Amino acid sequence: MDLSTPEPRFDFPLADLYVGNLDVGQLRDAFPLAVAGLVVWGLWLYRVILSRRARAVVNDFRTTTSVVVPSFHEDPDILLRCLDSWLSHDPTEVIIVLDVADTEARDRIALRGDPRVTAVMFKHAGKRSALGVGMRLATSELLVLVDSDTSWTPGLLEAVQMPFVDPDVGAVSTQQNVYERGTSVWRRIADWLVDLRYYDYVPAMGAAGAVACVSGRTAVYRRSVVVPVLVHLEDEFFLGRRCIAGDDGRLTWLVLSSGYKTVHQSSAKALSMFPDSFRAFVKQRIRWSRNSYRCYLTAVAKGWLWRVPFVTKITVLQILLTPVTMGITIGYLFFARIEPNALSIVLALAWVLLGRGVRGFSHLRRHPRDLLLLPLLTLVVIMIALPIKLYAFATMNKQGWLTRHADQVGGDGQGSASVVNASVVNAPVVHAPVVHAPVVHAPVVHAPVVTPQSVWEVKA
């Protein structure tokens, strides 16, 4: 007689089991998304904590500084406004590399009569060529590379010098925001995205000594580090085509691959013009995404990525895989998990908005009124992550600037009128008497014309 206890038998599938009111089968189906979500949120929290712990460097280190500005058909009003902000910091010298057609800017700079400023006329063959001209002509220990539409807040130049007390530092990134952010909804959206980058991502990488891209809007380099690798900036080819844009990412990785650190100085803040229209906003994002793919795929192929700290590795890999991760998440959520009823759809949308709002905390605590833009911001993030990045990946070797043109003054949606007009739309009209001032014809001062051949002969 067999007295052993028989093993229990289940004649119903596991999917029919319930824990309380939860269907175990549904829990099993949701498990992959839950794991992916935990990983993504865990990495985000990891970077945020590291960024919050990062501190600006403070010391009394000072040295000589050369401000180098490539300027291609910049709005002269914007260029001169920015020039005033640079000069107010008293750099050793300012070298503005103008295109040969920018004669109005040349003449207006000459009228300033400031001996610290040199305007160089150069036939631009892309931003990299103009940067090469300016960096070779510079004489200071530090090269401060600045976009022609970027101004500085007080104290920037002193602050960016401080990290260079460490001889292993080759480049310093600055804190950045949008100039006159309130003049356009697209500038407010851009400012939100910039805040996420410079409060939640860049400080973490900077603390580890490896900022993945020292933004060219204002970037500072040790001259002795970058001049020897200039040829690799000017003559970079990707899949057989010469690279035009993406100079800042390329220069960053040339510094990292040379064994130097790229750090971030949060106490140095720059303000840049951003597009005021949706069309120009999208074109700018396409250009940046193309640059990122070329830059980071090159870093992977050359093995540079595997030699930087973990936080930089994972950030770069997430940028490269953004369309994949976003596509899987959105697809799984909306096509596999949502029931075809209004409640499920509303709950899913609320969940997406809540997640984006939590990630936007670093910006919302500074601009709480932007909470009203959260739905638009969420749509923009999805648009950038999927259609824009997918298109940029497919066309990454299409070279060009997109938002600046040979027959146009200023960038698309970035002229001085886009700021002035927006700021006075609701201002009261005051009719002042017209006073006819005498016309003064100032003498024209001709800046030297520089060709690539003559610059290459300048002693490095």
Side-chain angles (χ1 to χ4, degrees), residues 275-315:
D276 69 341
S277 68
F278 174 72
R279 179 180 175 84
F281 176 91
V282 170
K283 288 164 70 175
Q284 188 179 64
R285 294 288 160 174
I286 291 173
R287 186 183 81 236
W288 288 350
S289 296
R290 286 172 176 168
N291 294 344
S292 295
Y293 280 124
R294 290 194 302 267
C295 176
Y296 296 146
L297 288 175
T298 298
V300 170
K302 291 185 175 293
W304 297 340
L305 182 64
W306 316 120
R307 301 201 293 267
V308 297
F310 173 77
V311 66
T312 304
K313 283 191 189 78
I314 199 66
T315 299

Side-chain angles (χ1 to χ4, degrees), residues 57 132 136 161 175 190 235 244 256 267-268 339 374 379 386 417 425:
V57 177
R136 286 190 174 90
Q161 297 177 62
Q175 194 79 7
D235 296 327
I244 303 299
L256 288 170
S267 57
E339 298 294 333
L374 180 59
L379 290 175
L386 287 174
V425 156

Side-chain angles (χ1 to χ4, degrees), residues 143-157:
L143 304 180
V144 188
L145 310 186
V146 189
D147 280 354
S148 55
D149 60 358
T150 297
S151 56
W152 297 344
T153 60
L156 179 143
L157 190 59

Side-chain angles (χ1 to χ4, degrees), residues 97-257:
V97 185
L98 299 164
D99 185 68
V100 292
D102 295 332
T103 54
E104 180 186 348
R106 175 201 64 192
D107 296 342
R108 291 177 62 177
I109 291 169
L111 286 175
R112 294 295 176 93
D114 194 313
R116 295 170 296 176
V117 182
T118 301
V120 180
M121 306 304 287
F122 172 71
K123 187 172 179 56
H124 283 224
K127 184 180 176 182
R128 298 181 186 218
S129 64
L131 282 172
V133 168
M135 285 192 277
R136 286 190 174 90
L137 292 174
T139 60
S140 301
E141 182 179 357
L142 299 183
L143 304 180
V144 188
L145 310 186
V146 189
D147 280 354
S148 55
D149 60 358
T150 297
S151 56
W152 297 344
T153 60
L156 179 143
L157 190 59
E158 284 194 353
V160 294
Q161 297 177 62
M162 297 176 186
F164 286 99
V165 70
D166 180 354
D168 290 332
V169 169
V172 173
S173 161
T174 57
Q175 194 79 7
Q176 300 179 8
N177 277 109
V178 175
Y179 178 72
E180 295 288 357
R181 62 179 298 276
T183 54
S184 163
V185 66
W186 298 109
R187 285 179 175 144
R188 291 172 65 187
I189 292 293
D191 193 61
W192 189 328
L193 296 174
V194 168
D195 268 352
L196 299 187
R197 172 182 172 89
Y198 286 101
Y199 284 109
D200 297 345
Y201 284 76
V202 173
M205 294 185 286
V211 175
C213 180
V214 179
S215 171
R217 291 187 282 270
T218 294
V220 190
Y221 293 88
R222 198 182 296 274
R223 186 178 186 276
S224 60
V225 173
V226 295
V227 168
V229 298
L230 268 184
V231 65
H232 301 299
L233 171 69
E234 297 165 316
D235 296 327
E236 181 191 8
F237 287 81
F238 186 86
L239 299 179
R241 301 191 67 181
R242 181 183 292 275
C243 295
I244 303 299
D247 51 278
D248 47 6
R250 175 63 169 177
L251 200 51
T252 299
W253 283 93
L254 289 174
V255 170
L256 288 170
S257 67

